Amino acid sequence: MVPAPRTARLTGGRPLLVAGFGSLLLLMLVAGAYALRTLEQVRTSDLQERNNYLSRGRALDRVRTGIYQSAIVMRDYLLATDAQSSALQIQRFATTREQTDRALAECASLIDSSENAALHDFQSELQYYWKLLAFISEIPPEHRAVRGSEYLSTQVRQHRAELIKMVDQLDAISARQMAASDARMSETFARLRGRLALILAFAVGTGLLLAAFTIWRTLGLERELEQRYQEVLTAQHELKELSARLVSAQEEERRAISRELHDEVGQSLSALLMEAGNAVANVPPDAIHVRQHVDSIKKLAEASVNIIRNMTLLLRPSMLDDFGLVPALEWQAREVSKRTGIRVQVAAADSAGELPDALKTCIYRVVQEALHNCARHAQARTVRVVVRQEDSRIVLFVEDDGRGFDARRVRGLGLVGMEERVHHLGGVFQVSSSPGAGTRVEVELPVAS
Amino acid sequence: MTRILLADDHTVMRNGLRLLLERQPDLKVVGEAADGRQAVEMAAAEHPDVVIMDIAMPQLNGVEATRQIVNRNPDTAVAILSMHKDESYVIRSLKAGARAYLLKDSAEADLIAAIGAITEGKSFFSPGVRSLLKEDYMHQLDEVGAEDSYELLTTREREVLQLVAEGKSNKEIASLLNLSLYTVETHRTHILQKLNLHSAPELILYAVRKGIIS
């Protein structure tokens, strides 16, 4: 069995291709998911960082405001004329202080732990400032106007200016932290870009390899397909050759058997008849029994001669070889007429008698088959057989007035056989028929001139 | 004494024929040929009165051999003795110049009568051949549905037809019917025209078919 390894060869690369394309797809999916996830992370952390920066800025603003505000509150305290408004200012100072501390705590929570030292310094300075301010409330009322104002404009103002400077530093730290975050982000992007480029390069490389392999495989398959197509064509051709050889071998065999039967068996029987007659001539007239036996021998021999004659004609009519196509066709027509009552007209050109043997035989067999069909299926009353020679071709048609059939659907073995014969001689075979409209078999054969 | 040449490729057949013929005191077999070519050569050498000729023979078939023999010597009467029982063989044999067509299976019964007829210039056909030709003719008439063209002939023309078919020459016919040679020739032409025939063999075939001669 040849086909088995061939099939294996055809499908051999399939698992490799499936695996290759599968992993390529998987790789691209993973790369895509990774890129998406990283981008999402970057976006989220960027947003958060920016929010933090803004919140830090706002908190530091509040701290700055609180520092000024508390100084103003304490100045108002010094200027207060009655106890009630003094108490109110003290209370406002406490509130401001508390708010400012909260704002600083908020800022501390948002600032990177590496900057804790600066923050810590500032916190201590702020606590000291609070103490400075709180000291004002302990100044006796009679000294408030003079010493208080002086204290406020020297000690407090100086310290306040330092504190504000420190807040500005904290702002700078916050901005730096923001810049550092931006730098980290850029770095993440760069890393992502690098990895994606690597994956892409790998994917493209693998893809190219796979494509090359696929092309190689496809070309191989195409070559194989072409080769097999050629094989099929060759096989078909050989089959046709074989069937043609079979047909001609069969024809040759028939001719040989027909001749043998006619020349040997038939002649021997004829001789037997004659010898029987000669034997009787030497028998005395009163030997009636002998004469009777010889008579029945002669009758049997005559019957056998007739059988042989019919057999030889059915196998291959001798006129086809002795006189050519036209007498053979006319004989065939007469036989069909006698046997079936169908009227068969033969119109054949005399030149059709000098055709090569293969052509002669082909036409004769086609007509024989067509007439056979007319008699068996068509219920025809009249059949016309026409053989014409036109330039370098022979045109033959057999048409009947029978019931016809659907030529597009029915294709009996007889028609196929006729077609085979005609095609082998390079001719054209055509059957036209439709129910109720008779049948016409038409053949065109090239004649080598 | 009638001198006879046998042409058949089967020795048994020739032996049987020789036995059959030589029982007759006035017949003598002067030669045996095993194929057509030999038959032509021997006919030229021996000048037999009658040739008994098979059709299916090697080298040269009987029909062609007949044509050559009759061409060379029109006085030689050829009787075809064949297995073939078909019109195409009969008409081709007649066209080649044969005067009798006999079937091998009835040779023993007909051969002597046939030799007698053809040496007198008449035609002869085995009963099997006659009935075959008649049958085919009737069948063809049935098919075509045509009127029998024999009805078109005048009485005198029918007489001439019969004599022609029996193998009489124009001169013989003229003296038999007490007519001029020219009149006989005219009748002959008319007959051929009316019956749509073209040659003497066809006319003989027609006569057989019609049962005018046997």
Side-chain angles (χ1 to χ4, degrees), chain B residues 123-190:
Chain B
S123 304
F124 190 94
F125 299 91
S126 285
V129 176
R130 279 204 297 273
S131 60
L132 171 87
L133 294 178
K134 259 192 229 171
E135 225 174 79
D136 283 352
Y137 183 64
M138 299 314 278
H139 192 77
Q140 276 175 13
L141 278 186
D142 274 1
E143 262 187 1
V144 183
E147 286 293 309
D148 191 344
S149 44
Y150 189 66
E151 304 299 325
L152 300 173
L153 301 182
T154 63
T155 316
R156 188 34 58 98
E157 280 167 351
R158 288 181 191 180
E159 281 173 342
V160 174
L161 167 61
Q162 175 151 10
L163 292 170
V164 171
E166 280 173 1
K168 299 276 190 293
S169 69
N170 285 357
K171 215 190 243 171
E172 284 173 307
I173 296 170
S175 75
L176 270 171
L177 297 181
N178 204 10
L179 298 168
S180 77
L181 195 60
Y182 175 77
T183 316
V184 174
E185 276 168 9
T186 313
H187 281 314
R188 234 183 131 124
T189 314
H190 284 166

Side-chain angles (χ1 to χ4, degrees), chain A residues 259 262-264 266-268 270-271 273-275 277-278 281-282 298 302 305-306 308-309 318-319 322-323 327 331 334 337-338 342-344, chain B residues 8-10 12-13 16-17 19-20 23 54 56 61 63 83-89 92 103-105 107-108 132 135-136 139-140 143-144:
Chain A
R259 279 237 173 273
H262 182 270
D263 289 0
E264 301 304 327
Q267 304 276 27
S268 297
S270 302
L273 266 166
M274 192 112 44
E275 288 292 34
N278 285 332
N282 293 324
K298 280 163 77 176
E302 268 169 36
V305 167
N306 273 323
I308 297 290
R309 185 155 33 221
S318 50
M319 356 351 188
D322 290 342
F323 306 134
W331 170 78
R334 279 199 300 277
S337 263
K338 265 193 251 174
I342 300 174
R343 199 172 131 199
V344 184
Chain B
D8 197 308
D9 54 333
H10 284 74
V12 192
M13 193 74 206
L17 284 172
L19 262 176
L20 176 69
R23 282 210 303 274
D54 187 18
N61 73 48
V63 176
M83 288 252 321
H84 292 298
K85 190 179 175 183
D86 184 75
E87 189 188 291
S88 55
Y89 285 91
R92 273 176 173 72
L103 292 175
K104 279 193 175 169
D105 37 315
E108 190 240 336
L132 171 87
E135 225 174 79
D136 283 352
H139 192 77
Q140 276 175 13
E143 262 187 1
V144 183

